[in-house]
């Protein structure tokens, strides 16, 4: 089965997409199961049919499908924010590729990121006339601006990585709860700066 978790160079954006029955057949969304949960779930990856053979349709439909798969995985562990928010999941997928890309590929990705952010902006009630995700004060809506910042690695979502760290740790549930409380207090301290959801990269 040809599983694609990152965009392939020259092959278009096929992240989290697969055609288990071969080219020209139905597209499926795919989510990898963490090694620590494979015994409990009984699989290395989960699939969900997107009910289309059209790659363009599959690209649009995948995010909600992947969010559903992540939610299924989350039932077996402490859920993190990426299990609840399809936009966060999508932005993180862009981010993972962006930080590894060369300058030319980053330029291409920025076009994709800003185009997607404009769609988010319009869905949130913005207009094309005043759309500018990088303006200060920002003309774009908050969801669009946060998507651009996260997808282009301008900010790091601390809570996301805390949950991954805690999931892989051997700490007691009480210690994990203390860590989450400390993080929440830290995020509250950032609110006066207007950055409650992430930490600006140096």
């Amino acid at each position: 089965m040809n599983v694609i978790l990152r965009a392939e160079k020259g092959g278009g954006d096929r992240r989290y997409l697969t055609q288990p029955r071969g080219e020209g057949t139905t597209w499926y969304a795919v989510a990898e199961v963490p090694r620590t949960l494979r015994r409990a779930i009984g699989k290395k990856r989960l699939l969900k049919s997107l009910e289309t053979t059209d790659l363009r349709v599959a690209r649009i439909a995948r995010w909600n499908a992947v969010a559903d798969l992540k939610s299924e995985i989350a039932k077996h562990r402490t859920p993190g924010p990426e299990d609840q928010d399809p936009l966060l999941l999508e932005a993180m997928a862009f981010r993972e590729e962006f930080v590894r890309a060369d300058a030319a590929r980053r330029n291409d990705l920025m076009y994709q990121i800003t185009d997607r952010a404009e769609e988010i902006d319009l869905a949130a009630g913005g207009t094309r006339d005043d759309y500018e995700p990088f303006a200060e004060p920002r003309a774009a809506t908050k969801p669009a601006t946060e998507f651009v910042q996260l997808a282009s690695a301008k900010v790091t979502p601390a809570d996301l990585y805390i949950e991954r760290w805690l999931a892989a740790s051997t700490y007691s549930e009480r210690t994990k709860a203390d860590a989450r409380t400390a993080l929440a207090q830290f995020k509250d301290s950032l609110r006066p700066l207007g950055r409650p959801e992430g930490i600006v990269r140096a």
Side-chain angles (χ1 to χ4, degrees):
M1 179 173 60
N2 183 26
V3 178
I4 302 172
L5 295 182
R6 293 198 299 263
E8 290 185 342
K9 186 175 182 180
D13 183 2
R14 300 186 183 188
R15 289 165 296 165
Y16 301 100
L17 293 174
T18 184
Q19 288 176 305
R21 296 183 178 86
E23 291 292 330
T25 61
T26 299
W27 284 101
Y28 283 71
V30 57
E32 292 291 328
V33 176
R35 289 183 181 276
T36 55
L37 298 177
R38 288 177 183 177
R39 178 175 295 181
I41 295 176
K43 297 179 180 179
K44 292 183 178 180
R45 60 183 62 88
L46 299 181
L47 300 176
K48 183 173 183 178
S49 174
L50 299 176
E51 301 181 356
T52 182
T53 58
D54 189 326
L55 178 57
R56 293 171 297 180
V57 175
R59 285 171 176 161
I60 296 171
R62 66 184 151 181
W63 300 113
N64 284 336
V66 170
D68 289 343
L69 295 175
K70 292 284 188 177
S71 293
E72 181 65 27
I73 293 171
K75 293 177 182 178
H76 298 271
R77 63 170 171 80
T78 302
E82 79 275 22
D83 300 311
Q84 309 299 326
D85 187 350
L87 281 183
L88 176 59
L89 178 67
E90 184 178 356
M92 287 301 296
F94 269 118
R95 176 194 173 89
E96 288 175 5
E97 183 177 2
F98 188 87
V99 297
R100 293 176 174 83
D102 58 23
R105 179 58 181 155
R106 284 191 176 191
N107 188 56
D108 290 340
L109 286 170
M110 281 307 304
Y111 279 111
Q112 295 179 38
I113 290 168
T114 53
D115 285 348
R116 180 69 179 106
E118 184 174 6
E119 294 174 359
I120 296 167
D121 188 62
L122 292 172
T127 66
R128 293 186 185 277
D129 293 338
D130 66 2
Y131 176 72
E132 177 48 70
F134 301 105
E136 290 290 348
R138 296 186 296 269
T141 55
K142 183 179 179 182
T145 300
E146 290 181 345
F147 181 87
V148 170
Q149 291 177 336
L150 180 54
S152 59
K154 301 294 185 184
V155 298
T156 298
D159 49 357
L160 174 62
Y161 292 102
I162 286 289
E163 287 300 334
R164 289 181 179 177
W165 168 57
L166 292 176
S169 74
T170 58
Y171 295 139
S172 67
E173 289 304 315
R174 179 169 182 174
T175 299
K176 291 179 180 180
D178 289 342
R180 294 187 183 100
T181 299
L183 175 63
Q185 292 172 345
F186 175 65
K187 289 172 64 177
D188 286 342
S189 73
L190 296 177
R191 292 183 187 280
L193 303 177
R195 302 187 184 279
E197 302 301 330
I199 301 173
V200 178
R201 295 187 54 182

